[in-house]
Amino acid sequence: MGQRQLTCAVTSLPSGSSDLLTVKSTSLGQPPPRTGRAVNAQLVRVDGVSKTFPGVRALSDVSLTLDAGEVHALVGENGAGKSTLMKILAGIHHQDEGTVAIDGRVVEIDSPTAAQDLGISIIHQELSLMPDLTIAENIFIGRERRRGFGLFVDDADLNRRARELFDHLGIALDPRAKVGSLLVAQQQVVEIAKALSFDARIIIMDEPTAALTESETHALFGLIGDLKRHGTGIIYISHRLEELAAVADRITVLRDGACVGTLAARDADLRQVVSMMVGRQLRGQTRPPSLPGDLPTVLEVRGLSTKSLLKDVSFSLRRGEILGFAGLMGAGRTEVARAICGADRTDGGEIFLSGRRVRVSSPADAARLGIGYLSEDRKRFGLMLDQDVAFNIVASDLRRHVNAAGLVRDDQVRQTARRYVETLSIRTPSIRQRTKHLSGGNQQKVVIAKWLARDCEVLIFDEPTRGIDVGAKEEIYSLLRTLADEGKAIIMISSELPEVLRMADRIAVMCEGRLTAVLDNADADQETIMTHATKLVPGGGVAA
């Protein structure tokens, strides 16, 4: 990592562990140390920055500072301008007005290379890795050492450098593995390692914990604390507002492209921060009332197993119920969903729909049977980003929108798309807008609309609020509850325990491919869920 090496005491995991990072020192995983701003040198000063894209004013007269050894959190709803501002600092966009100063000197950051030369590195919210390259190739792309008169990349050297970096960061990954074979959380860790490999003085973290488990998040906080002690300045973007008290020194709120205010994190009331972000008060979190006991069973899974992970998973799902799935990363939650919808091959088990045994060999079979799966990676598996909103909505049920000659009925497509855009309050200039230009929350709504247009009775939501802001989360929560009230049977997989406790009528807990408990919401709390998620038993120890 250059001449300056981090001294964070993070260690690699033993084989078979479900988390990517673990903490060796008791000092790590604690909140990073607060900094005294009076003695810190100013690394970054943004003055009066504005940016306009065709039809959208993304930033308007935004100012921001970052000191050495400080974590400055930047929060706001999707579309508030956070990522645009960070992309200006990273050399991806250039501001229309205003200035950026590094170490007190006004600079022009006209490319990502220029940003790197100035000591700025960014961890993107949208993963920018190349799936067909190895982890090591992704981290050091453009910085490879060559052999054979410069004709060949020295792969052995790449892998060695990556392993040395991983040893510093405590990452248990094989540098030779293809990035496309990794889970989303693992790809996020690779993004973090890549950013840190540049030995940057200014690091921008855009939703770094969105795909991390609680223990991985604590380890990241320990790493942030070590970076701060070395004088690194960090701009930290997160929708998980509960993290701000633990990690941030100051909080700046953006709304509609403008600065609403900057607060000292130690003095900030999160309700005040939320109100500043959305311009309104959000309703308090409440648990769902108990469901009637006589609701009919829509989906029953018996003895579901796969060669790689799942072992004898059995559960039922009732009409009008939200069944939450909780557990650490790697516990098998997503694998259960993929097996039910035919995306992964099973090694045993039975699936029943309304009492009738069914065979699900592919996602097409699942869709035909009325099972819709909303993947945790909506951009990769849920949407065609270069297609418009209308096409994405009708894509899962295109046969109903073509005539006998196989031609698409445009009028019918427009009618269907407009109905769901209105029903789900999808914010888009038109149904012909390319989906990639929508915010994360509205993209998620398009995926939901796609399966509602197919009229699926069973909906499986895998991390439905990952990467979306608090306002959009409220809309998704309201939508899920409305769907359940209308009789849809819903499985919701989430890594956020408060979200599971808020939304789920019952909670299925998984550990290492097994279902360890199914809890009624009234009997569940975070400690109980984590006990079953780690197979811990009261008084310490591990369950057999």
Side-chain angles (χ1 to χ4, degrees):
M1 297 183 64
Q3 295 180 349
R4 175 173 59 80
Q5 292 186 344
L6 296 178
T7 58
C8 58
V10 183
T11 183
S12 300
L13 292 177
S15 60
S17 175
S18 60
D19 291 331
L20 295 176
L21 302 175
T22 189
V23 178
K24 181 170 64 178
S25 167
T26 55
S27 66
L28 293 185
Q30 302 301 317
R34 302 289 185 187
T35 56
R37 295 190 59 233
V39 298
N40 289 342
Q42 192 175 88
L43 293 177
V44 180
R45 184 174 190 88
V46 174
D47 275 318
V49 164
S50 298
K51 178 67 179 177
T52 300
F53 297 103
V56 178
R57 188 165 178 81
L59 294 173
S60 180
D61 194 27
V62 172
S63 298
L64 180 82
T65 62
L66 176 69
D67 292 340
E70 178 190 25
V71 175
H72 193 147
L74 190 64
V75 300
E77 293 192 270
N78 282 99
K82 308 183 300 296
S83 292
T84 299
L85 179 58
M86 296 306 98
K87 287 176 180 178
I88 287 172
L89 289 176
I92 298 169
H93 297 322
H94 192 274
Q95 69 270 22
D96 300 327
E97 301 171 13
T99 60
V100 176
I102 304 297
D103 295 325
R105 179 173 59 89
V106 174
V107 295
E108 291 293 323
I109 310 176
D110 54 10
S111 69
T113 301
Q116 290 170 8
D117 291 342
L118 289 166
I120 302 171
S121 190
I122 184 169
I123 302 167
H124 292 277
Q125 175 184 357
E126 306 298 340
L127 300 177
S128 59
L129 303 172
M130 286 161 279
D132 293 328
L133 298 184
T134 69
I135 294 174
E137 289 167 340
N138 269 278
I139 291 174
F140 294 108
I141 189 166
R143 298 177 287 162
E144 305 93 342
R145 293 173 185 167
R146 294 183 173 270
R147 55 185 176 81
F149 303 101
L151 298 176
F152 305 101
V153 172
D154 190 340
D155 291 327
D157 178 74
L158 272 184
N159 295 330
R160 178 187 57 78
R161 292 160 64 192
R163 285 194 183 94
E164 290 177 354
L165 177 64
F166 289 175
D167 286 344
H168 282 291
L169 303 181
I171 297 173
L173 290 175
D174 184 351
R176 300 166 297 177
K178 292 286 184 68
V179 162
S181 68
L182 304 181
L183 298 172
V184 174
Q186 294 170 317
Q187 292 183 32
Q188 183 68 71
V189 172
V190 173
E191 283 276 24
I192 294 170
K194 181 178 179 180
L196 295 176
S197 73
F198 288 97
D199 197 23
R201 297 180 305 121
I202 301 158
I203 296 179
I204 301 165
M205 295 186 174
D206 193 352
E207 297 288 349
T209 65
L212 302 185
T213 64
E214 184 177 359
S215 61
E216 293 162 5
T217 296
H218 283 312
L220 175 63
F221 287 174
L223 181 58
I224 288 173
D226 218 29
L227 290 167
K228 288 179 63 173
R229 284 185 284 272
H230 283 87
T232 302
I234 297 169
I235 298 177
Y236 189 93
I237 300 173
S238 179
H239 289 131
R240 294 181 173 180
L241 299 186
E242 66 277 6
E243 294 178 355
L244 303 187
V247 75
D249 297 294
R250 288 187 293 157
I251 303 168
T252 289
V253 182
L254 292 184
R255 187 172 74 233
D256 298 329
C259 277
V260 179
T262 297
L263 309 169
R266 60 166 59 90
D267 301 325
D269 182 335
L270 291 187
R271 289 173 296 181
Q272 177 189 8
V273 173
V274 170
S275 180
M276 292 169 69
M277 287 172 57
V278 302
R280 65 187 187 278
Q281 293 289 338
L282 298 178
R283 61 186 178 89
Q285 295 188 8
T286 57
R287 294 197 184 191
S290 298
L291 289 176
D294 58 351
L295 292 174
T297 296
V298 176
L299 173 70
E300 185 177 2
V301 174
R302 300 178 187 172
L304 192 65
S305 301
T306 62
K307 286 186 178 180
S308 58
L309 181 62
L310 301 182
K311 304 175 186 69
D312 195 27
V313 174
S314 300
F315 64 92
S316 62
L317 175 67
R318 297 173 293 175
R319 186 175 306 281
E321 179 182 36
I322 297 178
L323 177 64
F325 267 74
L328 301 176
M329 196 199 75
R333 298 166 301 163
T334 294
E335 288 78 3
V336 167
R338 289 177 58 84
I340 291 172
C341 72
D344 288 346
R345 187 173 181 177
T346 60
D347 195 39
E350 299 173 308
I351 297 174
F352 295 82
L353 286 174
S354 299
R356 179 173 62 93
R357 184 179 177 182
V358 295
R359 181 177 177 85
V360 186
S361 300
S362 68
D365 286 344
R368 178 177 51 81
L369 291 165
I371 302 173
Y373 173 49
L374 292 80
S375 168
E376 63 176 329
D377 192 347
R378 59 178 173 267
K379 292 182 181 295
R380 185 176 177 188
F381 298 117
L383 294 169
M384 289 169 279
L385 294 173
D386 285 324
Q387 296 291 338
D388 60 31
V389 171
F391 185 83
N392 273 278
I393 288 175
V394 303
S396 67
D397 198 23
L398 200 54
R399 289 183 180 180
R400 293 188 189 180
H401 296 82
V402 298
N403 59 26
L407 300 177
V408 175
R409 296 190 181 101
D410 285 334
D411 289 345
Q412 189 175 341
V413 168
R414 287 194 295 269
Q415 182 180 0
T416 299
R418 285 171 181 156
R419 181 168 75 252
Y420 285 106
V421 165
E422 181 179 348
T423 300
L424 303 184
S425 300
I426 299 172
R427 297 185 184 93
T428 176
S430 82
I431 60 173
R432 295 305 178 191
Q433 173 75 290
R434 289 191 178 184
T435 312
K436 67 181 178 182
H437 296 310
L438 302 185
S439 69
N442 285 297
Q443 287 179 350
Q444 187 71 302
K445 289 181 182 180
V446 172
V447 181
I448 295 171
K450 178 178 72 172
W451 291 112
L452 292 182
R454 180 79 193 202
D455 196 25
C456 290
E457 289 301 312
V458 177
L459 293 169
I460 304 173
F461 291 83
D462 197 347
E463 303 288 359
T465 66
R466 174 171 290 167
I468 63 178
D469 60 71
V470 290
K473 279 186 176 183
E474 289 293 325
E475 293 179 345
I476 296 296
Y477 294 154
S478 177
L479 177 58
L480 291 183
R481 182 49 60 190
T482 298
L483 291 173
D485 290 343
E486 292 174 352
K488 301 294 184 184
I490 295 172
I491 291 174
M492 188 190 76
I493 301 167
S494 177
S495 297
E496 299 187 31
L497 294 186
E499 180 172 86
V500 174
L501 288 166
R502 173 177 178 174
M503 293 302 300
D505 300 296
R506 291 184 301 146
I507 301 164
V509 188
M510 297 200 65
C511 178
E512 296 180 0
R514 296 182 182 276
L515 190 65
T516 54
V518 178
L519 308 169
D520 287 332
N521 189 297
D523 301 326
D525 55 33
Q526 293 194 39
E527 182 178 356
T528 302
I529 293 172
M530 286 306 298
T531 296
H532 291 291
T534 56
K535 294 200 299 186
L536 296 177
V537 294
V542 180

